[in-house]
Amino acid sequence: MDSIKIFAPATVANVACGFDIFGFAVDAPGDEVIVRKRSDNQIIITNITGEEGKLTYDVSKNAVTVPILKYLEQTGNTQGLEIELHKKMPLGSGLGSSSASSVAGVFAVNELLGKPLSAKELLPFSMEGERIACGSAHADNVAPALLGGFVVVRSYQPLDVFKVPTPDELYVTIVHPDIEVNTKDARHILRNEVSMKNTIAQMGNVAGMIAGLMQADYKLIASSMVDFIIEPVRAILIPEFWEVKNAALEAGALGCSISGAGPSIFAFSQGKETAEKVAIAMKNSFEKVGIHGDTYVSGINQHGPKIIG
Amino acid sequence: MDSIKIFAPATVANVACGFDIFGFAVDAPGDEVIVRKRSDNQIIITNITGEEGKLTYDVSKNAVTVPILKYLEQTGNTQGLEIELHKKMPLGSGLGSSSASSVAGVFAVNELLGKPLSAKELLPFSMEGERIACGSAHADNVAPALLGGFVVVRSYQPLDVFKVPTPDELYVTIVHPDIEVNTKDARHILRNEVSMKNTIAQMGNVAGMIAGLMQADYKLIASSMVDFIIEPVRAILIPEFWEVKNAALEAGALGCSISGAGPSIFAFSQGKETAEKVAIAMKNSFEKVGIHGDTYVSGINQHGPKIIG
């Protein structure tokens, strides 16, 4: 095999109550990366599309190549590679755009080199892409993009992530409004301290979410989708957030919150039909104030990256 | 039926990472309550044993009768009752002593009156016993004493508790050292704010504990039994805490932390044999500095209160 084409999915991090610890993968959107072996030992990016010229071709600074360089360094491999990155999702959307690229690249290279490492072993490399893109090596988007499913980042020191089974009828609706929120800003407005009361309430919901997902208890999932810590602060950055959230809940969603650092908003529903109704309600709510929103409806993507060519 | 005798179990609250939200019941120790119907409509306590004269016979101030009075008031029942309370566990031990009494009493009365309410419906009444005993109506001891098993108090407003299945081979070791810690003091030394970093780390462990219990993943249970928020503060109140904890871990325990507000210390182990070794190690560790400790080894009590006469 001399070349491979990989799709890696968008991801929703935080998932209401699980700031920095919960994330899950969706079926679409996502990024596509093509990696080809070269006869020399150069690593170059030959093409980037779909990002309006915003991403660099400098391999030491692009989220798709930084993990690849780390991977090759650590595995002692000198294979030359050329990389194409086709962004099929918006940057700065709160949907793990850089993670999808980071994961697609290193996953592609690992496949191309005969799969010496397991998916989980690729995680530290993919996280280096996050460090380049967001300033810190978070795992809550990268881990679900790489492993698929609903993932908990239990600990960073040592790094420990695990997957949580999710019920078949759980569908997600995402609306990505055509507005910009910088991930670094979204992090800076958060306080460094949390009240004990909110910490306890949030822990209760974290426990409820895990038990709800594992027992397919949609009522428990719904009541656990309350964020006392992050949503009240970050909602300020997203015009119409509360109206869109209310629209989702009125259309039958189990719960609704900010995807990652925003501005995308996600909702969980029981059943695809409800999730599609919720999509229309959320989109309409944004459009009332003249904001265009792209919507996506998907199950929980259990597989992560996919070989597509 | 004119009289009934009920055993209600001791409970371990907090369970390392789940401050105010996790609690589970054990097989022993526990309290016994006898309730007899009277021909008049008086509610009186006729006998209290095992508490060195520390508890009041005033029914409006005793944790066993306050829930009963609330129960009778709310259900519009004027049945006269006389109550005996036999404390079979130490007061102020961190083992939910007042909860065991509160639960035993109201559970007994409900049985005696033909079981008009479900166990879960008794929870708000039992919580009133906690309010009398500890100054606030916490549920993390009362709920497992009443429902049995490992219980999560997801939310207080509205009150929402649920049980989490636990693996068969999960055993608990408890050591109750012969020292006193006042529950109110143990609460006062806690800070009102938690760092965002510790909140996130603790949420990761809460998620890990629930998934670990539900999947019988002992390794995940072990790594999730880390408390960044409460244990570092409350450990100061318990002489030899770190030595006893280390002794438990060295003897093979999955994890070890303070039971409730202390001074009792609990450990989880996989298998009864290990739990018994851990008991000896913990007891010996206390005895090195001249502190006597009573030890208990038990599975997770899945049943809660028991009719014993």
Side-chain angles (χ1 to χ4, degrees), chain A residues 185-213:
Chain A
D185 289 349
R187 195 160 275 271
H188 284 146
I189 62 166
L190 300 176
R191 291 179 57 219
N192 288 325
E193 302 268 305
V194 182
S195 71
M196 181 68 86
K197 195 180 152 213
N198 280 346
T199 299
I200 294 165
Q202 196 91 352
M203 291 196 307
N205 284 338
V206 163
M209 180 65 94
I210 298 296
L213 291 172

Short mmCIF file of all heavy atoms in Angstrom, two decimals, chain A residues 185-213:
data_model
loop_
_atom_site.label_atom_id
_atom_site.label_comp_id
_atom_site.label_asym_id
_atom_site.label_seq_id
_atom_site.Cartn_x
_atom_site.Cartn_y
_atom_site.Cartn_z
N ASP A 185 -10.40 32.21 23.70
CA ASP A 185 -11.25 33.17 24.44
C ASP A 185 -12.25 32.41 25.31
O ASP A 185 -12.45 32.74 26.48
CB ASP A 185 -12.05 34.06 23.48
CG ASP A 185 -11.15 35.05 22.76
OD1 ASP A 185 -9.97 35.17 23.17
OD2 ASP A 185 -11.62 35.68 21.81
N ALA A 186 -12.87 31.38 24.73
CA ALA A 186 -13.91 30.63 25.45
C ALA A 186 -13.33 29.99 26.71
O ALA A 186 -14.04 29.78 27.69
CB ALA A 186 -14.51 29.57 24.53
N ARG A 187 -12.04 29.70 26.68
CA ARG A 187 -11.40 29.12 27.86
C ARG A 187 -11.03 30.22 28.86
O ARG A 187 -11.16 30.05 30.06
CB ARG A 187 -10.17 28.30 27.44
CG ARG A 187 -9.63 27.37 28.51
CD ARG A 187 -8.76 26.27 27.94
NE ARG A 187 -9.56 25.14 27.49
CZ ARG A 187 -9.91 24.11 28.26
NH1 ARG A 187 -9.54 24.07 29.53
NH2 ARG A 187 -10.63 23.13 27.79
N HIS A 188 -10.59 31.37 28.32
CA HIS A 188 -10.15 32.45 29.21
C HIS A 188 -11.27 33.03 30.08
O HIS A 188 -11.01 33.51 31.17
CB HIS A 188 -9.48 33.57 28.40
CG HIS A 188 -8.10 33.21 27.95
ND1 HIS A 188 -7.55 33.63 26.77
CD2 HIS A 188 -7.16 32.42 28.54
CE1 HIS A 188 -6.32 33.14 26.64
NE2 HIS A 188 -6.08 32.40 27.70
N ILE A 189 -12.52 33.00 29.57
CA ILE A 189 -13.59 33.61 30.37
C ILE A 189 -14.05 32.71 31.52
O ILE A 189 -14.83 33.13 32.35
CB ILE A 189 -14.82 34.02 29.53
CG1 ILE A 189 -15.48 32.80 28.87
CG2 ILE A 189 -14.48 35.08 28.50
CD1 ILE A 189 -16.87 33.11 28.33
N LEU A 190 -13.53 31.49 31.57
CA LEU A 190 -13.93 30.61 32.68
C LEU A 190 -13.20 30.99 33.95
O LEU A 190 -12.05 31.41 33.92
CB LEU A 190 -13.62 29.15 32.32
CG LEU A 190 -14.33 28.63 31.08
CD1 LEU A 190 -13.87 27.22 30.77
CD2 LEU A 190 -15.84 28.69 31.24
N ARG A 191 -13.87 30.82 35.09
CA ARG A 191 -13.22 31.09 36.37
C ARG A 191 -12.30 29.93 36.75
O ARG A 191 -12.46 28.81 36.27
CB ARG A 191 -14.28 31.27 37.46
CG ARG A 191 -15.09 32.55 37.31
CD ARG A 191 -16.13 32.65 38.41
NE ARG A 191 -15.48 32.60 39.73
CZ ARG A 191 -15.98 31.96 40.78
NH1 ARG A 191 -17.13 31.31 40.69
NH2 ARG A 191 -15.34 31.95 41.93
N ASN A 192 -11.32 30.20 37.59
CA ASN A 192 -10.41 29.15 38.05
C ASN A 192 -10.94 28.40 39.26
O ASN A 192 -10.35 27.42 39.69
CB ASN A 192 -9.04 29.74 38.39
CG ASN A 192 -8.29 30.13 37.14
OD1 ASN A 192 -8.40 29.47 36.12
ND2 ASN A 192 -7.57 31.23 37.21
N GLU A 193 -12.02 28.92 39.85
CA GLU A 193 -12.60 28.28 41.04
C GLU A 193 -14.07 27.96 40.79
O GLU A 193 -14.76 28.69 40.06
CB GLU A 193 -12.52 29.23 42.24
CG GLU A 193 -11.12 29.69 42.59
CD GLU A 193 -10.45 28.81 43.63
OE1 GLU A 193 -11.04 28.63 44.70
OE2 GLU A 193 -9.34 28.29 43.37
N VAL A 194 -14.54 26.92 41.39
CA VAL A 194 -15.93 26.51 41.29
C VAL A 194 -16.46 26.40 42.72
O VAL A 194 -15.74 25.93 43.60
CB VAL A 194 -16.04 25.13 40.59
CG1 VAL A 194 -17.49 24.71 40.44
CG2 VAL A 194 -15.33 25.15 39.24
N SER A 195 -17.70 26.82 42.94
CA SER A 195 -18.23 26.67 44.30
C SER A 195 -18.37 25.19 44.63
O SER A 195 -18.61 24.35 43.75
CB SER A 195 -19.58 27.37 44.43
OG SER A 195 -20.57 26.65 43.72
N MET A 196 -18.22 24.86 45.91
CA MET A 196 -18.39 23.47 46.34
C MET A 196 -19.79 22.97 45.95
O MET A 196 -19.95 21.83 45.51
CB MET A 196 -18.21 23.39 47.86
CG MET A 196 -18.34 22.00 48.44
SD MET A 196 -16.99 20.90 47.93
CE MET A 196 -15.79 21.30 49.20
N LYS A 197 -20.77 23.84 46.10
CA LYS A 197 -22.15 23.47 45.77
C LYS A 197 -22.29 23.06 44.29
O LYS A 197 -22.89 22.03 43.98
CB LYS A 197 -23.05 24.69 46.07
CG LYS A 197 -24.51 24.40 46.12
CD LYS A 197 -25.32 25.67 46.41
CE LYS A 197 -26.69 25.53 45.81
NZ LYS A 197 -27.25 26.79 45.33
N ASN A 198 -21.71 23.85 43.41
CA ASN A 198 -21.78 23.52 41.98
C ASN A 198 -20.94 22.29 41.65
O ASN A 198 -21.32 21.50 40.77
CB ASN A 198 -21.34 24.70 41.13
CG ASN A 198 -22.44 25.73 40.97
OD1 ASN A 198 -23.60 25.46 41.28
ND2 ASN A 198 -22.09 26.92 40.51
N THR A 199 -19.81 22.13 42.34
CA THR A 199 -18.99 20.94 42.11
C THR A 199 -19.79 19.67 42.44
O THR A 199 -19.80 18.71 41.67
CB THR A 199 -17.71 20.99 42.97
OG1 THR A 199 -16.96 22.14 42.59
CG2 THR A 199 -16.85 19.75 42.78
N ILE A 200 -20.47 19.70 43.58
CA ILE A 200 -21.27 18.54 44.00
C ILE A 200 -22.41 18.27 43.02
O ILE A 200 -22.64 17.13 42.61
CB ILE A 200 -21.81 18.76 45.43
CG1 ILE A 200 -20.64 18.80 46.43
CG2 ILE A 200 -22.82 17.67 45.81
CD1 ILE A 200 -21.01 19.36 47.79
N ALA A 201 -23.11 19.34 42.64
CA ALA A 201 -24.23 19.18 41.71
C ALA A 201 -23.75 18.63 40.36
O ALA A 201 -24.39 17.76 39.76
CB ALA A 201 -24.94 20.52 41.51
N GLN A 202 -22.60 19.13 39.91
CA GLN A 202 -22.05 18.68 38.62
C GLN A 202 -21.62 17.21 38.71
O GLN A 202 -21.86 16.43 37.79
CB GLN A 202 -20.86 19.57 38.25
CG GLN A 202 -20.45 19.48 36.79
CD GLN A 202 -21.17 20.52 35.93
OE1 GLN A 202 -22.08 21.22 36.37
NE2 GLN A 202 -20.76 20.61 34.69
N MET A 203 -21.00 16.84 39.83
CA MET A 203 -20.58 15.44 40.01
C MET A 203 -21.80 14.52 39.96
O MET A 203 -21.75 13.43 39.40
CB MET A 203 -19.83 15.26 41.33
CG MET A 203 -18.48 15.93 41.37
SD MET A 203 -17.40 15.35 42.73
CE MET A 203 -18.45 15.57 44.16
N GLY A 204 -22.89 14.96 40.57
CA GLY A 204 -24.13 14.17 40.54
C GLY A 204 -24.58 13.93 39.11
O GLY A 204 -24.98 12.81 38.74
N ASN A 205 -24.48 14.96 38.28
CA ASN A 205 -24.90 14.80 36.88
C ASN A 205 -23.93 13.96 36.07
O ASN A 205 -24.35 13.22 35.18
CB ASN A 205 -25.10 16.18 36.26
CG ASN A 205 -26.39 16.82 36.73
OD1 ASN A 205 -27.31 16.12 37.17
ND2 ASN A 205 -26.48 18.13 36.67
N VAL A 206 -22.64 14.08 36.38
CA VAL A 206 -21.65 13.23 35.71
C VAL A 206 -21.96 11.75 36.00
O VAL A 206 -21.99 10.92 35.08
CB VAL A 206 -20.22 13.59 36.17
CG1 VAL A 206 -19.22 12.48 35.83
CG2 VAL A 206 -19.78 14.91 35.55
N ALA A 207 -22.24 11.45 37.26
CA ALA A 207 -22.60 10.08 37.63
C ALA A 207 -23.89 9.66 36.93
O ALA A 207 -24.01 8.54 36.42
CB ALA A 207 -22.76 9.98 39.15
N GLY A 208 -24.86 10.57 36.88
CA GLY A 208 -26.14 10.28 36.24
C GLY A 208 -25.98 10.03 34.75
O GLY A 208 -26.63 9.13 34.18
N MET A 209 -25.13 10.81 34.11
CA MET A 209 -24.93 10.64 32.66
C MET A 209 -24.33 9.28 32.34
O MET A 209 -24.79 8.57 31.44
CB MET A 209 -24.02 11.77 32.14
CG MET A 209 -23.74 11.69 30.66
SD MET A 209 -25.22 11.91 29.64
CE MET A 209 -25.10 13.66 29.32
N ILE A 210 -23.31 8.89 33.10
CA ILE A 210 -22.67 7.59 32.85
C ILE A 210 -23.67 6.45 33.09
O ILE A 210 -23.82 5.54 32.25
CB ILE A 210 -21.42 7.40 33.75
CG1 ILE A 210 -20.37 8.48 33.44
CG2 ILE A 210 -20.82 6.00 33.55
CD1 ILE A 210 -19.80 8.44 32.06
N ALA A 211 -24.37 6.50 34.21
CA ALA A 211 -25.35 5.43 34.50
C ALA A 211 -26.48 5.45 33.48
O ALA A 211 -26.94 4.41 33.02
CB ALA A 211 -25.89 5.60 35.92
N GLY A 212 -26.92 6.64 33.10
CA GLY A 212 -28.00 6.77 32.11
C GLY A 212 -27.61 6.17 30.77
O GLY A 212 -28.38 5.43 30.15
N LEU A 213 -26.40 6.47 30.31
CA LEU A 213 -25.92 5.93 29.04
C LEU A 213 -25.80 4.41 29.12
O LEU A 213 -26.25 3.68 28.23
CB LEU A 213 -24.56 6.53 28.66
CG LEU A 213 -24.54 8.02 28.29
CD1 LEU A 213 -23.10 8.52 28.14
CD2 LEU A 213 -25.32 8.27 26.99
#
